[in-house]
Amino acid sequence: MTGDHQALALLLFAAFVAGTLAITTWAGRRRRGSAEEFYTGGRLFSPMENGFAIAGDYMSAASFLGISGLIALFGYDGMLYSVGFLVAWLVVLFLVAELVRNCGRFTLADVVVARMRERPVRIAAGTSSVAVSVLYLVAQMVGAGSLVALLLGGTSAAARSWTVIGVGALMVIYVSLGGMRATTWIQIVKAVLLMAGAATLTVLVLLRFHGDVDQLLTAAAERSGHGKDFLSPGLRYGGDWTARLDFISLGLALVLGTAGLPHILSRFYTVPTARAARRSVVWAIGLIGSFYLMTIVLGFGAAAIVGTTEVRASNAAGNTAVPLLALDLGGGAGTTGGAVLFAVVAAVAFATILAVVAGITLASSVSVAHDLCATLGRPHRKRRFTEVAVARMAAVGVGAVAIALGLLAQDMNVAFLVGLAFAVAASANLPVLLYSLFWRNFTTRGAVWSVYGGLVPAVLLVLLSPVVSGSPGALFPGMDFQLFPLENPGMVSIPLGFLAGWLGTVTSPEAPDEARHAETEVRALTGAGAA
């Protein structure tokens, strides 16, 4: 990229950042200072607005940069992420959205404690929510670093590191000043920009091949270096039994993980009724489904037009496939058209990252303030800070942790990193959520065991997997303490979460509270007494 073209892209970056800061300032002035306003935006968003915000929350850097990059590198096997992320919304729509809106108030823990002892359950659920959020944040940080390094003309480690720090600082500002109202509007703006950008690139790719999808796939296979194998299963997940089990493990994590993501669950509390929450999901499914269909075209388009070798040379994990595709579609390096399209796509991707990290940071800071600090504090002592003030401080702490881990994981594919977050969410949060909503005999011990029985094995197996050590693409490639062969722990940790919840319940000396279960069931199904 020439200096003028870099200046154009940076100008678009600056324009979006200025716009989002203006939204944050506007929202901050309208805020009344209550926990409900900070956490849920006053529950005043319409189903359409919330649907766009959910889509904006969900269509992350992993979707726009990571999935397209994996398809460009691995063809058919890369599409697993597109399919898994989309199918997961059926679980959310039919099992979670309406019931969670009726039973909860701000967080996942609110749903569970409706019929359990509050203190142990809030501590467990809050810990799990923060762990999932931090893992998800790391993926967004890595995507931001790859994007800006490419924009500045290379893969400068310093540029990537400063970008990660800058994104972390911005997300703390968004959450601290604007709360849920600002975060929601940033996500709505970002969803519109992302859909428009992806649609434009998709149309340009199809026009390049005269609307002939078969010609597109043939060209992608030819330039991939793998021939017809590029369009068949097995390029990434079909080598040996370990790779095939990894395929199953990743599929389980993607399909089941969405329903346990804290920042997605918290979006159901921003609408006034359970019916509105369900309609929000329908809006989100339409937007997300359209988007993931476009990522498939973009991934194969990058392989066909840019070339798999060139994509891998720019970024080994494939995170820069879409910006490189935009550069080529606009006329190539050194052309004004290429620079403009590249700059627009880079700015949209950066907007994507900023909006998603704001949503995740808000969800995690709410869990820290509402579940952990409010529960761990001594009830007989007067609190020095309000819950909202604690949430703002927690946003700073979560941001610092995410920045540190993001600097460590700069060379990993963002979609892959999100797959790990989904695995932890499906292992720790989904079992306790489903048991609480549907199992009459579920007890407090079962809830606590369910969370830790999924969270601890999931995190431990990730630490002992090829993701962290023992492989060239690991976090610590020079070390080898790998004991678990799979890259994604979902196949083992998700069943363990369900098993631990069942075992804790059947061994619990505490009798299930039939009256509270009946009350929760009525509230979940009818909305009577919902916040």
Side-chain angles (χ1 to χ4, degrees), residues 58 81-90 284-285 288-290 292-293:
Y58 196 69
Y81 286 87
S82 290
V83 175
F85 283 146
L86 179 56
V87 171
W89 278 99
L90 298 178
I285 288 177
I288 292 166
S290 304
Y292 282 126
L293 287 175

Side-chain angles (χ1 to χ4, degrees), residues 480-508:
D480 188 0
F481 45 88
Q482 172 196 339
L483 296 175
F484 182 65
L486 304 183
E487 293 184 342
N488 192 292
M491 186 176 182
V492 176
S493 58
I494 295 172
L496 284 178
F498 282 98
L499 177 62
W502 173 82
L503 191 61
T505 297
V506 298
T507 60
S508 174

Side-chain angles (χ1 to χ4, degrees), residues 145-146 148-160 313-316 320 410-411:
S146 299
V148 175
L150 177 65
L151 177 68
L152 296 176
T155 54
S156 164
R160 293 163 72 182
S314 172
N315 183 275
T320 55
Q410 288 187 46
D411 294 321

